[in-house]
Amino acid sequence: MLRAGWLRGAVVLALLLAARVVAAFEPITVGLAIGAASAITGYLSYNDIYCRFAECCREERPLSASALKLDLEEKLFGQHLATEVILKALTGFRNNKNPKKPLTLSLHGWAGTGKNFVSQIVAENLHPKGLKSNFVHLFVSTLHFPHEQKIKLYQDQLQKWIRGNVSACANSVFIFDEMDKLHPGIIDAIKPFLDYYEQVDGVSYRKAIFIFLSNAGGDLITKTALDFWRAGRKREDIQLKDLEPVLSVGVFNNKHSGLWHSGLIDKNLIDYFIPFLPLEYRHVKMCVRAEMRARGSAIDEDIVTRVAEEMTFYPKDEKIYSDKGCKTVQSRLDFH
């Protein structure tokens, strides 16, 4: 009996090791090895074992609200609105077993304020491999949709790409970067997928997440932040209601927003317009410290100050906000 049990365990181990070796090359071979292991043991689950060697789309995988909250609070600086809204929106959406539509977020603000960084944090909290996941898809306007004369082609390709990937994984995440450089009309191709339909051509998009990243509206956000500062009010007093209506209207009427006269706004299919506030001197210093920690370096406050002081700030008279946010912190730190 003991010898038989030992032999069975050895065979299973050998099969699983073989599966691991070939996992990167041929999924069919992996399946055969796992199937054999399951037949021998009588209790191994095909999905459980297969997903140890290949990335799987697990619809039941819960979102850890505490982990997401910690990531946002420790890695994102000066963005109280983005932290609050993204945390509530994502946790609420993922806790809803039967959402009526996909979650659609539109992130706005000048470069270097944290939009791309937040999309990375969100991706990592939804899928362990983050932006490298097979279920997280990044579109860059200037790379994937460069030619204005090919709008119809791009619309068709976009629909096919999203349909195919949501069919493979209902929890797919789609990130559209540089929305302000996207030719008008392209994004409206995905309008049916964002609407309140149970299915579109046999596919349900209700558990997918769409995230738009845009510099459009940065001027409107800065104006509101500056008005608060000049009135002697703290930036933390700025509420979503102070900016979201202005952003949605401003982006809708901006020919260079990628959402100009878009049905996505007209039909209220974007769930949240999330403003990223311009960063102050103190926030730049936080970014420098975070980058030093990420490099495993001891925090040297003299270097932190020097890097922050090398940045340029606006408006011309007050010099409150970094004109590049934290975007050049990494490269500037290389010189110290």
Side-chain angles (χ1 to χ4, degrees):
M1 179 68 74
L2 289 174
R3 181 176 177 80
W6 177 87
L7 181 60
R8 184 174 63 178
V11 172
V12 171
L13 179 60
L15 287 167
L16 293 182
L17 286 174
R20 189 159 198 165
V21 170
V22 301
F25 304 100
E26 190 185 349
I28 294 176
T29 307
V30 180
L32 291 174
I34 294 169
S38 300
I40 291 171
T41 62
Y43 62 81
L44 289 176
S45 162
Y46 176 90
N47 286 336
D48 289 343
I49 301 300
Y50 181 83
C51 294
R52 293 185 185 182
F53 307 104
E55 185 184 19
C56 291
C57 176
R58 293 183 177 272
E59 293 189 27
E60 73 279 3
R61 183 178 182 270
L63 171 69
S64 172
S66 58
L68 176 60
K69 183 173 186 288
L70 189 65
D71 276 348
L72 291 171
E73 291 179 347
E74 290 190 349
K75 300 175 182 178
L76 183 65
F77 308 116
Q79 304 298 353
H80 68 284
L81 288 175
T83 297
E84 177 184 357
V85 177
I86 289 170
L87 181 61
K88 289 183 178 179
L90 280 175
T91 53
F93 180 73
R94 288 300 294 269
N95 288 336
N96 184 353
K97 301 300 182 184
N98 186 30
K100 300 302 180 186
K101 67 178 292 296
L103 177 64
T104 308
L105 308 175
S106 194
L107 281 50
H108 297 266
W110 291 131
T113 52
K115 303 184 302 295
N116 288 82
F117 192 43
V118 161
S119 68
Q120 177 182 329
I121 291 174
V122 168
E124 290 171 351
N125 276 269
L126 292 172
H127 296 282
K129 290 189 176 182
L131 294 177
K132 296 180 180 179
S133 170
N134 292 325
F135 312 122
V136 177
H137 312 280
L138 174 65
F139 299 97
V140 181
S141 296
T142 52
L143 175 64
H144 296 104
F145 316 108
H147 305 295
E148 188 173 7
Q149 65 271 25
K150 294 184 178 181
I151 289 179
K152 183 62 171 67
L153 173 63
Y154 295 149
Q155 288 177 326
D156 292 341
Q157 290 176 337
L158 193 54
Q159 285 187 343
K160 290 176 183 176
W161 181 258
I162 291 176
R163 184 184 299 113
N165 282 286
V166 173
S167 297
C169 179
N171 291 337
S172 290
V173 178
F174 301 92
I175 302 169
F176 292 81
D177 194 12
E178 298 184 346
M179 278 292 294
D180 49 297
K181 296 179 178 65
L182 186 68
H183 299 298
I186 291 179
I187 201 64
D188 277 66
I190 70 171
K191 178 182 171 293
F193 306 150
L194 306 189
D195 216 326
Y196 292 83
Y197 298 123
E198 186 171 348
Q199 289 187 344
V200 178
D201 292 333
V203 179
S204 174
Y205 297 86
R206 291 182 168 189
K207 293 186 178 181
I209 295 176
F210 294 81
I211 302 174
F212 305 140
L213 312 179
S214 178
N215 288 351
D219 54 340
L220 302 172
I221 297 168
T222 297
K223 181 182 182 305
T224 298
L226 198 55
D227 287 344
F228 270 70
W229 185 86
R230 287 171 175 165
R233 301 175 66 184
K234 295 185 296 183
R235 68 190 278 128
E236 289 75 18
D237 291 337
I238 301 174
Q239 299 180 42
L240 187 63
K241 66 181 182 181
D242 296 318
L243 278 166
E244 192 172 31
V246 176
L247 267 181
S248 63
V249 173
V251 170
F252 184 77
N253 291 315
N254 183 347
K255 289 186 177 181
H256 304 289
S257 69
L259 290 165
W260 180 60
H261 289 181
S262 172
L264 275 61
I265 298 178
D266 194 39
K267 300 299 182 181
N268 299 309
L269 298 180
I270 296 178
D271 298 295
Y272 296 97
F273 288 87
I274 304 175
F276 279 67
L277 304 176
L279 299 181
E280 301 172 8
Y281 177 79
R282 59 190 169 111
H283 302 126
V284 174
K285 294 181 78 172
M286 291 177 184
C287 292
V288 179
R289 294 188 192 102
E291 179 60 23
M292 295 178 82
R293 281 193 292 270
R295 297 183 182 193
S297 305
I299 305 299
D300 186 325
E301 288 299 331
D302 287 338
I303 293 178
V304 171
T305 300
R306 288 205 297 272
V307 171
E309 288 180 349
E310 288 175 3
M311 310 293 277
T312 52
F313 293 81
Y314 70 97
K316 183 178 180 180
D317 296 329
E318 292 98 335
K319 295 189 175 174
I320 308 166
Y321 306 121
S322 169
D323 64 354
K324 294 183 180 65
C326 286
K327 192 155 193 168
T328 60
V329 162
Q330 290 185 356
S331 57
R332 290 180 182 271
L333 192 56
D334 291 337
F335 288 96
H336 295 276

